[in-house]
Amino acid sequence: MQILKFSDKNATILEFCGGKGANLAKLTKAGFKVPQGFIISVKAYYKFIENNKNVKNLIESFNHTFDYQDLDKLEKQSKILRKAFLELEFDQQFLKEFDENLKEFDENTAFSVRSSSTMEDLNSAAFAGAHDTFLNIYGRDEILKHIKLCFASLWQSRAILYREEKNFFQNEACMAVVVQKMVNADFAGVSFSINPVKNRNDEILINANYGLGESVVSGEFDVDEYSLSKSDFSLLSTHIAKKEICIIQDKLGTKEEKVSKEKQEIPCLTEEKLRQIAKLNCEVENYYAFAQDIEWAIEKNELYLLQARAITTLAERWTRDESAERYPNVITPFTWDYVDKAFHISLEYSFKMMNLPSFKGKWFASFNNYIYGNQNIIWLYMQSGNLGIDFKNLNTALEQILQKYPHVYELPKQWMRDLDYYLKGIGALENKVISDNKQAFDFLDDVVKLGTMYFRPNIAISITQSLLYKILKILLEKLVGEKSSFYFDILTSFDESKTAQVNEDLLSLAKLIAKDPFLKSEFEKHNSKELKEKIFGYKISQQFLKFLENHGHREIEFDPYHPTWVEAPEVVIDNIKLLLNSDFSNNKKFQKKKIYFDTKNELFALLPKEWHFGFDELLNLVKTYTLLDDLEHYETTRLSILVRKAAKAIGKHFVKLGIIKDPMDVFFAHMQTISAYKEGKITIDKVRLEIEKEKAQYFENSKKIPAWNLGEEDEIIENESEILEGVAGSIGVSVGEVYLVHSKDDFSHFPKDAILVARTTNPAWTPLFYTAKGVITESGGALSHGAVTAREMKLPAVMSVRNAMKILKNGMKVKVDGGKGRVYILN
């Protein structure tokens, strides 16, 4: 079949129906009020072009020759390809299926014909406005014509450029089309289940206007903006625009209509309608268990859901909140390069496994050798939403959890199976002899490959542990209220962890020493460096060496630039010295187990008997993931010894060449520099200069206390002579000279790193965002095309700045504060 109804089994599959089509099918099956329609599948797209060698050859040819730097040339290539598409004809089988689907609607029905690329409305790339949408289309021939136009819009220059920017392969792009009954809207707009500008998950943000929603999403018109509380849907704030124009249905598509004067400056929605939209937005968020933006429309008091997408684009806000504990100290370039790569591969792999939206940006990044977390994104993935779980019945809640996150039971088993392969790889590399520089470089590649493969599911372990902890906290708060933290600590503390085993082995060493008065006095008398030269007695020395053999890969610091326990045994001795005065009683572990058992029974008594299984199963999962998270970290640190072995081997080669004096200084080279040197692309002088520079910066930065929030130490710009108020569009602050863009004729003159000022923007203007430093528009709200694109490109943006095109002149210096919705004109 080339055409699928929203209710068909395969309609929810992205590869068949594209992002928009698959989403509408899911929402329809979930029971949401979605206007009915059908999907021209990707199969139909391929059939459309498969018998035309001219189009096929053009796609193949342009795939290798698209000129992403010359926009005029790219537009010419795009036009040639689109023209070829429009000359093609549909086959008879397609037309037969099309007619069968169309006859289910009244012949006077108006349709929207919407592009639905397999790369569109993805969680990692919205492709907002990159492809074409046509509204209010009547009649068989007109619908077929506009399906062709949607197919052709896959090759709009803006879509081609966007795919290149997002690192998608051009020849993998394909198109489905949604043909959907039009809602003749009295009011329409968009709603976000979080405030994407202020990054608040307790607010719902709604933009609205009279008529069809195109006036809202295009950003070309002034629209109302409302903020509502997520807890009770009460109205928090409003920005009522002067709504002079709206878009309505017309026989030839759509048209602009003037809003009557008495309606222009009053809210277009009542508080009751706002609550209905907010409630719908939350229901969609609960269904997907992730923050969502929706398109909605109201016709004759009926609220319709037109579209939903995951929100994955927020402005970067780098803090030490998530990274200070994990990465407390400075990190060398060499280490961070391979960790960064493996971490983000794991992030993508783990999110896919957990059915979480994909994320293509940076979760962690290095600034001045300190690691910062992209806090807005971390907050979005880890804390937004309410899990979409109904806790009225614990057993059914557990079933919901397993339906939404089917990996929960399978991941621990799969991880343990894969651990064997990883440990065999570790053993083989530990025993590998490196005899020349080529083998040293190859050895490093092998270590990075093994570590990256092993680490792929590991972030899923951490996120799942956090998810289970969150569920347990919610349950305990319902059961015991303020005492929940006390009970939570007991129910998440286990002696079976790998860390506990290491501590027990240390304690055994301390017990041996404590029993011998002479040994104990010697340990108290000497420091650890003196003691490591003479481990007393056969028994203690053998047990000490066995301890290092078992656990010597444990790190002193996260960065393998620093030695592990096996290379710095004085660290272990320091730990033993601390334990010598410990309580060696054997019943502590037993007492802890009894407290856990008694606590569990106490909570069982507060629950209905039929919930006991669900509660016990939840506790088992919490225990499984707590121990697994600890074991994963323990096994990951085995890589430290191998990374040091690889670095030392390459470092010795660099010493012979005179690049460095200490082999371990190789840690101050970037991984890509080492690869470039290995491939003969750069000279040893460039390697030397980079190492010298990075080493100096590393030690200079190690003496500094990093700013908790990146950028707080930036100089405050003063001499602000005038403030222009607008609507916050994309968070961030940028200073630069403005350049006014009136039309596409100004595109070629737009200076790099200028502040883009425009009446409005639309998808055709997207290339300007790649070179702009900030965005100011006279119209549109936080959910308009310009604001959404600015947030995706991480550009500060202020929308709805009245008379910006009159007040600002080319070359004027301004500060754009996207979070406050203000533009400061600087003297």
Side-chain angles (χ1 to χ4, degrees):
M1 289 175 63
Q2 297 183 48
I3 300 177
L4 300 168
K5 294 181 176 66
F6 290 170
S7 56
D8 285 345
K9 181 181 177 182
N10 291 332
T12 59
I13 300 174
L14 173 73
E15 291 79 9
F16 291 172
C17 298
K20 193 176 272 91
N23 260 341
L24 287 170
K26 286 177 185 175
L27 294 167
T28 299
K29 290 183 178 182
F32 291 101
K33 195 162 188 173
V34 176
Q36 284 308 294
F38 51 91
I39 303 161
I40 313 302
S41 72
V42 167
K43 183 178 179 182
Y45 170 81
Y46 282 127
K47 283 253 185 190
F48 187 63
I49 62 172
E50 72 178 4
N51 295 323
N52 193 295
K53 290 183 179 179
N54 179 40
V55 171
K56 277 187 163 184
N57 291 339
L58 279 173
I59 293 173
E60 186 64 32
S61 169
F62 284 156
N63 183 44
H64 300 292
T65 60
F66 280 133
D67 194 328
Y68 303 110
Q69 307 306 316
D70 187 335
L71 297 184
D72 288 336
K73 185 177 177 183
L74 184 65
E75 178 60 26
K76 286 176 184 175
Q77 292 173 315
S78 167
K79 280 183 178 178
I80 292 169
L81 195 46
R82 283 182 283 136
K83 185 174 181 291
F85 263 83
L86 298 179
E87 291 170 353
L88 301 183
E89 295 297 334
F90 292 106
D91 63 56
Q92 289 303 311
Q93 178 60 37
F94 171 84
L95 292 173
K96 182 183 175 184
E97 286 186 39
F98 177 79
D99 289 338
E100 286 174 357
N101 280 276
L102 193 62
K103 73 181 181 183
E104 296 187 15
F105 296 85
D106 185 275
E107 62 180 11
N108 294 319
T109 301
F111 291 91
S112 63
V113 182
R114 298 175 182 269
S115 301
S116 181
S117 164
T118 52
M119 295 177 179
E120 185 176 70
D121 285 345
L122 300 182
N123 299 317
S124 57
F127 275 79
H131 306 117
D132 287 340
T133 285
F134 303 96
L135 302 179
N136 214 44
I137 308 302
Y138 288 91
R140 177 183 186 270
D141 292 344
E142 282 298 306
I143 296 169
L144 288 170
K145 171 187 164 184
H146 285 85
I147 291 170
K148 281 188 192 181
L149 288 168
C150 284
F151 281 168
S153 76
L154 186 66
W155 301 102
Q156 291 272 19
S157 57
R158 60 179 180 261
I160 296 166
L161 197 62
Y162 190 91
R163 287 194 290 270
E164 170 67 10
E165 183 70 16
K166 287 290 181 181
N167 295 316
F168 291 121
F169 293 112
Q170 300 288 355
N171 59 352
E172 291 181 0
C174 51
M175 181 68 78
V177 178
V178 174
V179 179
Q180 188 178 25
K181 184 178 178 180
M182 275 288 295
V183 174
N184 189 11
D186 302 306
F187 315 94
V190 290
S191 176
F192 277 47
S193 67
I194 62 171
N195 188 324
V197 181
K198 296 179 181 177
N199 303 314
R200 294 188 64 97
N201 71 337
D202 57 354
E203 289 183 17
I204 295 168
L205 197 63
I206 298 173
N207 277 188
N209 195 6
Y210 302 107
L212 303 177
E214 294 308 296
S215 65
V216 180
V217 297
S218 70
E220 296 182 24
F221 302 86
D222 290 325
V223 298
D224 289 350
E225 181 168 294
Y226 309 88
S227 174
L228 284 79
S229 166
K230 207 168 187 177
S231 59
D232 60 6
F233 305 137
S234 60
L235 192 59
L236 299 175
S237 66
T238 60
H239 171 82
I240 306 304
K242 187 175 182 181
K243 303 172 289 298
E244 297 177 306
I245 302 290
C246 67
I247 296 176
I248 63 168
Q249 284 184 269
D250 183 63
K251 286 185 177 180
L252 299 175
T254 61
K255 68 177 182 180
E256 294 182 9
E257 181 177 82
K258 286 187 177 181
V259 176
S260 62
K261 284 191 176 180
E262 62 269 20
K263 289 183 176 181
Q264 285 181 5
E265 296 188 66
I266 63 170
C268 65
L269 293 176
T270 64
E271 289 195 29
E272 176 58 31
K273 290 297 180 205
L274 288 169
R275 283 193 289 272
Q276 287 179 23
I277 295 163
K279 183 173 180 288
L280 174 63
N281 205 166
C282 285
E283 288 170 351
V284 175
E285 180 186 71
N286 288 344
Y287 172 70
Y288 282 109
F290 200 85
Q292 298 284 311
D293 82 84
I294 65 170
E295 294 178 25
W296 54 269
I298 297 173
E299 179 184 8
K300 296 177 182 176
N301 283 326
E302 288 289 333
L303 175 61
Y304 293 90
L305 176 61
L306 305 182
Q307 187 53 271
R309 287 173 291 266
I311 302 169
T312 59
T313 301
L314 295 176
E316 292 177 345
R317 180 168 66 89
W318 298 101
T319 81
R320 296 276 287 158
D321 292 3
E322 297 294 323
S323 58
E325 182 179 357
R326 192 186 308 222
Y327 313 111
N329 301 316
V330 283
I331 305 288
T332 57
F334 179 92
T335 293
W336 185 247
D337 283 348
Y338 78 78
V339 169
D340 179 56
K341 180 181 176 183
F343 180 90
H344 286 94
I345 288 172
S346 173
L347 202 67
E348 189 71 10
Y349 183 91
S350 296
F351 283 173
K352 187 173 182 180
M353 178 192 300
M354 298 181 70
N355 293 324
L356 284 172
S358 173
F359 175 64
K360 296 290 185 184
K362 288 289 185 183
W363 190 275
F364 288 115
S366 177
F367 298 94
N368 299 321
N369 298 102
Y370 287 97
I371 308 307
Y372 285 77
N374 188 351
Q375 200 59 39
N376 288 343
I377 287 296
I378 293 170
W379 162 81
L380 178 65
Y381 275 81
M382 303 303 291
Q383 298 177 48
S384 69
N386 61 5
L387 305 173
I389 306 297
D390 182 2
F391 286 94
K392 290 176 184 174
N393 181 311
L394 189 57
N395 289 341
T396 56
L398 192 67
E399 289 173 11
Q400 290 175 56
I401 292 164
L402 297 176
Q403 283 173 2
K404 286 179 179 291
Y405 308 104
H407 74 283
V408 170
Y409 276 126
E410 291 304 315
L411 177 56
K413 293 184 283 188
Q414 186 60 50
W415 189 89
M416 292 303 295
R417 289 190 202 106
D418 292 343
L419 180 62
D420 291 338
Y421 179 85
Y422 168 70
L423 292 177
K424 286 177 183 176
I426 290 284
L429 289 171
E430 282 177 340
N431 293 318
K432 199 164 191 175
V433 176
I434 303 172
S435 56
D436 58 42
N437 61 300
K438 184 185 180 304
Q439 287 182 353
F441 290 121
D442 291 344
F443 184 84
L444 176 61
D445 288 342
D446 290 341
V447 173
V448 171
K449 283 176 188 173
L450 178 66
T452 301
M453 188 197 69
Y454 156 75
F455 197 71
R456 282 187 311 173
N458 289 10
I459 291 174
I461 294 171
S462 298
I463 295 176
T464 306
Q465 183 193 13
S466 298
L467 172 74
L468 292 168
Y469 275 24
K470 189 173 181 179
I471 293 166
L472 181 59
K473 282 179 179 176
I474 292 170
L475 180 64
L476 291 176
E477 284 167 5
K478 291 179 182 294
L479 283 176
V480 295
E482 294 179 357
K483 293 182 180 179
S484 61
S485 295
F486 170 75
Y487 285 94
F488 179 82
D489 289 345
I490 293 171
L491 295 173
T492 55
S493 180
F494 308 102
D495 280 332
E496 299 94 326
S497 70
K498 202 67 181 180
T499 299
Q501 290 175 25
V502 174
N503 290 337
E504 282 182 17
D505 290 351
L506 275 172
L507 199 62
S508 297
L509 283 165
K511 283 180 185 178
L512 277 176
I513 294 162
K515 287 178 184 177
D516 188 319
F518 169 72
L519 281 179
K520 189 177 180 185
S521 66
E522 287 293 302
F523 265 74
E524 289 170 350
K525 192 188 304 178
H526 297 286
N527 64 40
S528 57
K529 287 187 178 178
E530 292 169 341
L531 285 167
K532 81 170 184 178
E533 302 299 327
K534 45 177 182 178
I535 296 296
F536 304 91
Y538 177 78
K539 190 173 183 181
I540 183 66
S541 63
Q542 287 300 106
Q543 192 154 337
F544 186 79
L545 290 173
K546 185 179 179 183
F547 178 89
L548 290 180
E549 184 181 345
N550 290 337
H551 311 300
H553 59 278
R554 292 302 293 257
E555 78 278 24
I556 297 170
E557 289 201 24
F558 172 83
D559 193 340
Y561 174 62
H562 303 279
T564 62
W565 283 1
V566 74
E567 291 180 271
E570 62 272 17
V571 176
V572 180
I573 296 170
D574 278 335
N575 282 321
I576 293 170
K577 284 163 72 71
L578 289 171
L579 290 171
L580 280 174
N581 297 315
S582 299
D583 177 9
F584 294 137
S585 60
N586 292 319
N587 65 342
K588 285 175 70 178
K589 193 170 182 179
F590 175 79
Q591 289 172 349
K592 199 170 181 181
K593 282 183 175 291
K594 188 175 186 309
I595 291 169
Y596 179 89
F597 179 79
D598 291 343
T599 301
K600 191 165 82 166
N601 284 341
E602 185 182 338
L603 292 169
F604 268 138
L606 300 174
L607 289 166
K609 191 172 182 181
E610 62 270 20
W611 290 11
H612 287 189
F613 169 77
F615 183 55
D616 194 50
E617 198 64 6
L618 175 61
L619 292 181
N620 286 335
L621 286 169
V622 166
K623 182 174 182 177
T624 297
Y625 275 88
T626 301
L627 299 181
L628 186 60
D629 187 65
D630 181 75
L631 177 62
E632 173 270 309
H633 176 78
Y634 176 87
E635 300 297 354
T636 298
T637 56
R638 292 187 186 277
L639 291 163
S640 296
I641 290 176
L642 297 177
V643 171
R644 285 179 62 79
K645 179 178 176 180
K648 201 175 288 184
I650 294 170
K652 286 178 180 176
H653 172 63
F654 283 179
V655 168
K656 288 179 184 176
L657 295 172
I659 296 174
I660 52 179
K661 293 180 181 178
D662 180 352
M664 300 312 282
D665 279 356
V666 78
F667 274 93
F668 300 108
H670 285 281
M671 289 284 283
Q672 52 266 42
T673 301
I674 291 172
S675 295
Y677 168 76
K678 173 188 170 184
E679 293 165 9
K681 294 178 180 177
I682 58 172
T683 64
I684 61 172
D685 288 335
K686 285 192 175 181
V687 180
R688 182 191 300 111
L689 287 172
E690 178 176 277
I691 290 175
E692 288 173 356
K693 176 188 168 188
E694 293 286 354
K695 184 176 181 180
Q697 287 179 349
Y698 172 89
F699 284 106
E700 184 181 341
N701 290 329
S702 69
K703 297 170 188 173
K704 297 176 182 177
I705 298 173
W708 193 262
N709 299 314
L710 192 69
E712 277 189 354
E713 71 284 3
D714 291 347
E715 181 183 353
I716 297 172
I717 298 171
E718 297 180 351
N719 301 319
E720 295 159 355
S721 64
E722 188 176 352
I723 300 173
L724 306 180
E725 297 283 352
V727 173
S730 175
I731 201 167
V733 176
S734 183
V735 176
E737 294 182 356
V738 303
Y739 189 84
L740 279 62
V741 179
H742 300 272
S743 68
K744 288 186 75 173
D745 294 339
D746 296 323
F747 282 18
S748 60
H749 305 295
F750 188 80
K752 190 175 183 340
D753 291 332
I755 305 292
L756 168 62
V757 182
R759 164 79 179 104
T760 184
T761 68
N762 61 48
W765 292 43
T766 304
L768 293 179
F769 285 71
Y770 299 135
T771 55
K773 203 175 181 182
V775 179
I776 302 167
T777 64
E778 285 190 340
S779 64
L783 309 183
S784 65
H785 166 268
V788 171
T789 305
R791 287 196 292 274
E792 189 163 352
M793 303 298 180
K794 302 173 180 62
L795 297 176
V798 180
M799 331 310 290
S800 288
V801 180
R802 293 275 177 92
N803 298 315
M805 298 288 280
K806 291 181 181 178
I807 297 168
L808 300 173
K809 307 296 178 189
N810 286 347
M812 287 177 69
K813 194 172 185 181
V814 301
K815 179 171 78 172
V816 179
D817 190 327
K820 293 180 179 176
R822 289 179 173 180
V823 176
Y824 302 88
I825 300 176
L826 307 177
N827 289 332

